[in-house]
């Protein structure tokens, strides 16, 4: 087995180098292009040549790069967990109702705020809180409903049903809300990687680190699940325990990311597939770090694209990820159906 | 006979839904011994799979008790089961990119550390399993690209790598042509002789079962019997289960003629 693992070392080294190169490109690009030398100085040397560059980098560009990397890692890993657990290539981090719950929370806050009389309290922190609460609420309902269901496909469908249910409520809310409220909600749903302060990034980074450490406890069950539930059980795997750990990690990762940067579409679904094309393995000891690093790379590319595409007007990050993710998913479906016929 | 590995004492098998039990067969009692190959025969719906699943602890025992090497099932953890019983199922594998080696190595999971590291000893056991099942040449192939016959041999190798005293197989030769059917039975025969593992196979291949098994386990109409094919009670039972206008048991050549 170690010989099989070894052949991926060079891929990992190449991807890490690519990641660092992309961090520089990402920091450099924007309405004001910063030369690489200035970035190097700002990050690694004590002698600052340009105060303005230094300020932009530490307060705007670097937080944005870190947010992109954390988002890519978290959503990529959640996507892989869901696809392995449900043994369904079309499962993603949002199948448990996390995204719809978060959207419901934010929609209630922004569009229902005037009814509920909480309008004056809307600020930078209330949106992450509302989104976390919404995600947690819908996730709990899905998990309670799914508790006694042994068929994983049914859990998948229940998650999707709750998704449509919450989007119906959001439609009703939007119908009765004012234009400015609607606009504020739409802007949240576009997603944004550039709104985070350093202390929020530390919090996000902490949650993602904890989740990644807990992944070590489920590497074996995940590999066993590649043979199906019955074989996994015959290998001594506790399906109930695995399900609990997988769901908790996924909701921590996806929930915290959605709370801070909004519902980022497609990344969680597409990254595991791209990774499996590069690495051609199902072994989670290889796939999990690979998904993390490729997720980070793709998010950095998407963020960079959103900044250079229209000069000083930034495209919403969700538009970029979908523009990028949708063709991947379509291509996957086409190539899959070709294989079976 | 040598050591008793598995002992079923007055077992009832069937399904349990939320309110009522549906019992297919009751009062089942028999022993399985080390190194023997037993074929489980019966018509469709007679309870073959149910019995196999009950022994594999995938279904609860509705009555009675089962012991494995004198230890009762209720005292065994999930990991103990994994170290005592391995299975080969009829279900197809989910889509994955596992190689043959990786698939067979997953059989080592009950013994590997928390990260699933395959040691040299594990690797040797996997290689032995591959040799016994004639899958060495497939080592680096992807399991999703194998033919049905190759895949079945790989799944048998995976069960072997799990290194359990008992291997259960649920209709291992369905979907296979006659050459591969004979080949699978030959491999299973060789495994039981060389490794002294107890092998229980549920199958519809009556003639292959008659030729290759040490004993037959017959299940029909809520009753069961177990014994050697030379015994007249087994021959009578075989006749009563399978004989019809189209198919007849011929005791002299020990096969069904149709």
């Amino acid at each position: 087995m170690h010989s099989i693992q070894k052949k991926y070392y060079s891929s990992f080294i190449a991807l890490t180098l690519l990641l660092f190169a992309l961090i520089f490109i990402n920091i450099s690009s924007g309405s004001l292009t910063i030369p690489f030398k200035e970035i190097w100085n700002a990050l690694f040397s004590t002698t600052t040549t340009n105060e303005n560059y230094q300020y932009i980098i530490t307060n705007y560009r670097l937080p944005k790069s870190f947010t992109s990397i954390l988002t890519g890692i978290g959503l990529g890993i959640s996507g892989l967990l869901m696809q392995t657990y449900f043994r369904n290539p079309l499962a993603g981090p949002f199948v448990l109702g996390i995204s719809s719950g978060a959207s419901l929370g934010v929609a209630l806050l922004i569009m229902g705020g005037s009814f509920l009389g909480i309008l004056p309290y809307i600020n930078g922190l209330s949106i992450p809180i509302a989104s976390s609460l919404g995600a947690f609420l819908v996730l709990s309902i899905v998990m309670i409903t799914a508790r006694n269901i042994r068929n994983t496909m049914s859990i998948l469908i229940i998650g999707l049903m709750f998704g449509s249910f919450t989007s119906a409520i959001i439609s009703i809310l939007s119908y009765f809300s004012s234009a400015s409220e609607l606009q504020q909600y739409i802007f949240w749903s576009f997603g944004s990687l550039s709104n985070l302060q350093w202390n929020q990034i530390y919090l996000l980074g902490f949650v993602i680190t904890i989740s990644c450490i807990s992944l070590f406890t489920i590497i074996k069950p995940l590999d066993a699940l590649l043979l199906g539930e019955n074989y996994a059980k015959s290998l001594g795997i506790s399906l109930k325990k695995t399900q609990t750990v997988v769901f908790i990690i996924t909701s921590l990762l996806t929930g915290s990311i959605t709370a801070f940067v909004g519902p980022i579409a497609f990344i969680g679904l597409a990254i595991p597939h791209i990774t499996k094309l590069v690495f051609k393995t199902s072994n989670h000891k290889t796939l999990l770090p690979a998904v993390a690093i490729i997720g980070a790379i793709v998010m950095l590319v998407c963020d960079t694209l959103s900044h250079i595409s229209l000069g000083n007007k930034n495209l919403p990050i969700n538009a970029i990820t979908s523009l990028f993710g949708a063709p991947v998913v379509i291509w996957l479906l086409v190539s899959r159906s070709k294989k079976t016929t | 006979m040598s050591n008793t590995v598995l002992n079923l004492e007055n077992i009832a098998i069937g399904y349990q839904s939320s309110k009522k039990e549906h019992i297919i067969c009751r009062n089942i009692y028999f022993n399985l011994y080390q190194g023997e190959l037993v074929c489980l025969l019966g018509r469709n719906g007679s309870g073959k799979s149910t019995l196999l699943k009950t022994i594999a602890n995938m279904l609860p025992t509705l009555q009675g008790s089962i012991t494995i090497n004198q230890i009762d099932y209720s005292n065994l953890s999930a990991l103990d089961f994994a170290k005592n019983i391995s299975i080969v199922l009829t279900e197809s594998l989910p889509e994955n990119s596992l190689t043959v080696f990786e698939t067979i190595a997953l059989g080592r999971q009950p013994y590997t550390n928390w990260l699933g590291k395959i040691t040299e000893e594990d690797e040797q056991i996997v290689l032995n399993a591959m040799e016994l099942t004639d899958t060495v040449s497939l080592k680096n192939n992807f399991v999703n690209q194998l033919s049905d016959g190759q895949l079945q041999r790989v799944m048998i190798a995976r069960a072997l790598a799990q290194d359990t005293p008992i291997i259960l197989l649920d209709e291992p030769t369905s979907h296979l042509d006659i050459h591969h059917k004979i080949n699978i039975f030959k491999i299973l025969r060789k495994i039981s002789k060389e490794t002294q593992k107890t092998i229980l196979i549920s199958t519809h291949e009556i003639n292959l079962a008659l030729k290759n098994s040490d004993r037959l386990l017959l299940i029909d109409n809520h009753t069961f019997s177990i014994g050697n094919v030379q015994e007249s009670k087994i021959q009578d039972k075989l006749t009563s289960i399978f004989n019809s206008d189209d198919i007849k048991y011929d005791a002299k050549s020990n096969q069904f003629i149709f």
Side-chain angles (χ1 to χ4, degrees), chain A residues 6 8 51 76 101 120 143 145 160 174 179 181 193 195 224 233 259 267 302 309 314:
Chain A
K6 249 176 208 146
Y8 296 117
E51 290 287 335
M143 277 168 70
T145 320
L160 291 172
S174 334
E181 288 169 342
L193 297 166
N195 286 346
K233 238 177 120 180
I267 287 294
C302 288
S309 42
N314 295 344

Short mmCIF file of all heavy atoms in Angstrom, two decimals, chain A residues 6 8 51 76 101 120 143 145 160 174 179 181 193 195 224 233 259 267 302 309 314:
data_model
loop_
_atom_site.label_atom_id
_atom_site.label_comp_id
_atom_site.label_asym_id
_atom_site.label_seq_id
_atom_site.Cartn_x
_atom_site.Cartn_y
_atom_site.Cartn_z
N LYS A 6 3.04 6.42 -2.48
CA LYS A 6 4.22 7.19 -2.82
C LYS A 6 4.12 7.88 -4.17
O LYS A 6 4.62 8.96 -4.35
CB LYS A 6 5.46 6.29 -2.80
CG LYS A 6 6.39 6.64 -1.64
CD LYS A 6 7.55 5.69 -1.56
CE LYS A 6 8.04 5.59 -0.13
NZ LYS A 6 8.53 4.29 0.23
N TYR A 8 1.97 9.48 -5.41
CA TYR A 8 1.25 10.76 -5.39
C TYR A 8 2.07 11.89 -4.78
O TYR A 8 1.65 13.03 -4.81
CB TYR A 8 -0.07 10.62 -4.65
CG TYR A 8 -1.01 9.67 -5.32
CD1 TYR A 8 -1.42 8.50 -4.71
CD2 TYR A 8 -1.49 9.95 -6.61
CE1 TYR A 8 -2.28 7.62 -5.35
CE2 TYR A 8 -2.35 9.08 -7.25
CZ TYR A 8 -2.73 7.92 -6.61
OH TYR A 8 -3.57 7.06 -7.24
N GLU A 51 4.04 51.89 2.33
CA GLU A 51 3.03 51.78 3.39
C GLU A 51 1.66 51.43 2.85
O GLU A 51 0.93 50.63 3.44
CB GLU A 51 2.95 53.11 4.15
CG GLU A 51 4.16 53.42 5.01
CD GLU A 51 4.22 52.53 6.25
OE1 GLU A 51 3.17 52.06 6.69
OE2 GLU A 51 5.34 52.29 6.75
N GLY A 76 -14.66 21.48 -0.12
CA GLY A 76 -14.16 20.31 -0.82
C GLY A 76 -14.27 19.07 0.05
O GLY A 76 -14.78 18.03 -0.39
N GLY A 101 -31.10 26.03 5.14
CA GLY A 101 -31.32 26.54 6.49
C GLY A 101 -30.69 27.90 6.69
O GLY A 101 -31.29 28.82 7.23
N PRO A 120 -33.34 47.15 13.72
CA PRO A 120 -32.22 47.98 14.18
C PRO A 120 -30.98 47.16 14.53
O PRO A 120 -29.89 47.71 14.63
CB PRO A 120 -32.77 48.65 15.44
CG PRO A 120 -34.24 48.48 15.39
CD PRO A 120 -34.49 47.27 14.59
N MET A 143 -31.88 15.71 10.55
CA MET A 143 -31.25 14.59 11.24
C MET A 143 -32.23 13.85 12.14
O MET A 143 -32.16 12.62 12.26
CB MET A 143 -30.02 15.05 12.01
CG MET A 143 -28.83 15.11 11.06
SD MET A 143 -27.35 15.91 11.63
CE MET A 143 -26.71 14.87 12.85
N THR A 145 -35.47 13.61 11.57
CA THR A 145 -36.31 12.84 10.66
C THR A 145 -35.58 11.60 10.16
O THR A 145 -36.17 10.53 9.99
CB THR A 145 -36.71 13.71 9.44
OG1 THR A 145 -36.98 15.02 9.89
CG2 THR A 145 -37.92 13.15 8.74
N LEU A 160 -33.14 17.02 0.39
CA LEU A 160 -33.55 17.80 -0.78
C LEU A 160 -34.96 18.37 -0.59
O LEU A 160 -35.23 19.52 -0.96
CB LEU A 160 -33.51 16.93 -2.04
CG LEU A 160 -32.12 16.53 -2.51
CD1 LEU A 160 -32.20 15.52 -3.65
CD2 LEU A 160 -31.34 17.76 -2.95
N SER A 174 -39.81 36.93 0.10
CA SER A 174 -39.35 37.90 -0.90
C SER A 174 -40.53 38.62 -1.53
O SER A 174 -40.46 39.81 -1.83
CB SER A 174 -38.56 37.23 -2.03
OG SER A 174 -37.98 36.05 -1.62
N ALA A 179 -38.00 46.45 -1.90
CA ALA A 179 -36.94 46.31 -2.89
C ALA A 179 -35.56 46.34 -2.25
O ALA A 179 -34.67 45.56 -2.61
CB ALA A 179 -37.05 47.41 -3.94
N GLU A 181 -34.75 45.54 0.87
CA GLU A 181 -34.51 44.31 1.65
C GLU A 181 -34.15 43.16 0.72
O GLU A 181 -33.24 42.38 0.98
CB GLU A 181 -35.77 43.95 2.44
CG GLU A 181 -36.04 44.85 3.61
CD GLU A 181 -37.43 44.63 4.19
OE1 GLU A 181 -38.28 44.02 3.50
OE2 GLU A 181 -37.65 45.06 5.33
N LEU A 193 -16.18 36.81 -0.35
CA LEU A 193 -15.00 36.33 0.36
C LEU A 193 -14.25 37.47 1.03
O LEU A 193 -13.29 37.26 1.74
CB LEU A 193 -14.06 35.61 -0.61
CG LEU A 193 -14.62 34.34 -1.27
CD1 LEU A 193 -13.75 33.94 -2.44
CD2 LEU A 193 -14.70 33.23 -0.26
N ASN A 195 -15.43 40.01 3.09
CA ASN A 195 -16.02 40.74 4.22
C ASN A 195 -15.45 40.37 5.57
O ASN A 195 -15.90 40.84 6.59
CB ASN A 195 -17.54 40.48 4.26
CG ASN A 195 -18.23 41.23 3.15
OD1 ASN A 195 -17.65 42.13 2.54
ND2 ASN A 195 -19.46 40.85 2.86
N ALA A 224 -13.97 1.71 4.04
CA ALA A 224 -14.79 0.51 4.05
C ALA A 224 -16.12 0.75 3.34
O ALA A 224 -16.65 -0.14 2.66
CB ALA A 224 -15.05 0.05 5.49
N LYS A 233 -20.12 -3.02 7.30
CA LYS A 233 -20.57 -3.57 8.58
C LYS A 233 -19.83 -4.87 8.91
O LYS A 233 -19.43 -5.10 10.04
CB LYS A 233 -22.07 -3.81 8.53
CG LYS A 233 -22.83 -3.06 9.60
CD LYS A 233 -24.30 -3.30 9.44
CE LYS A 233 -24.85 -3.92 10.70
NZ LYS A 233 -26.30 -4.17 10.58
N ALA A 259 -22.04 30.64 7.00
CA ALA A 259 -22.33 31.77 7.89
C ALA A 259 -21.48 32.98 7.53
O ALA A 259 -21.96 34.11 7.53
CB ALA A 259 -22.09 31.36 9.33
N ILE A 267 -18.89 24.36 -5.62
CA ILE A 267 -17.52 24.00 -5.26
C ILE A 267 -17.48 22.63 -4.58
O ILE A 267 -16.72 21.75 -4.97
CB ILE A 267 -16.91 25.09 -4.35
CG1 ILE A 267 -16.61 26.33 -5.18
CG2 ILE A 267 -15.67 24.61 -3.64
CD1 ILE A 267 -15.52 26.13 -6.22
N CYS A 302 -11.03 31.12 -8.61
CA CYS A 302 -12.33 31.76 -8.76
C CYS A 302 -12.31 33.18 -8.21
O CYS A 302 -12.83 34.11 -8.83
CB CYS A 302 -13.41 30.96 -8.02
SG CYS A 302 -13.82 29.43 -8.82
N SER A 309 -11.94 40.20 -13.89
CA SER A 309 -12.76 40.08 -15.10
C SER A 309 -13.33 41.41 -15.58
O SER A 309 -13.36 41.67 -16.76
CB SER A 309 -13.87 39.07 -14.86
OG SER A 309 -14.41 39.26 -13.58
N ASN A 314 -16.29 44.08 -9.29
CA ASN A 314 -16.10 42.66 -9.00
C ASN A 314 -17.35 41.86 -9.33
O ASN A 314 -18.46 42.27 -9.00
CB ASN A 314 -15.81 42.45 -7.52
CG ASN A 314 -14.51 43.08 -7.13
OD1 ASN A 314 -13.69 43.41 -7.99
ND2 ASN A 314 -14.33 43.29 -5.85
#
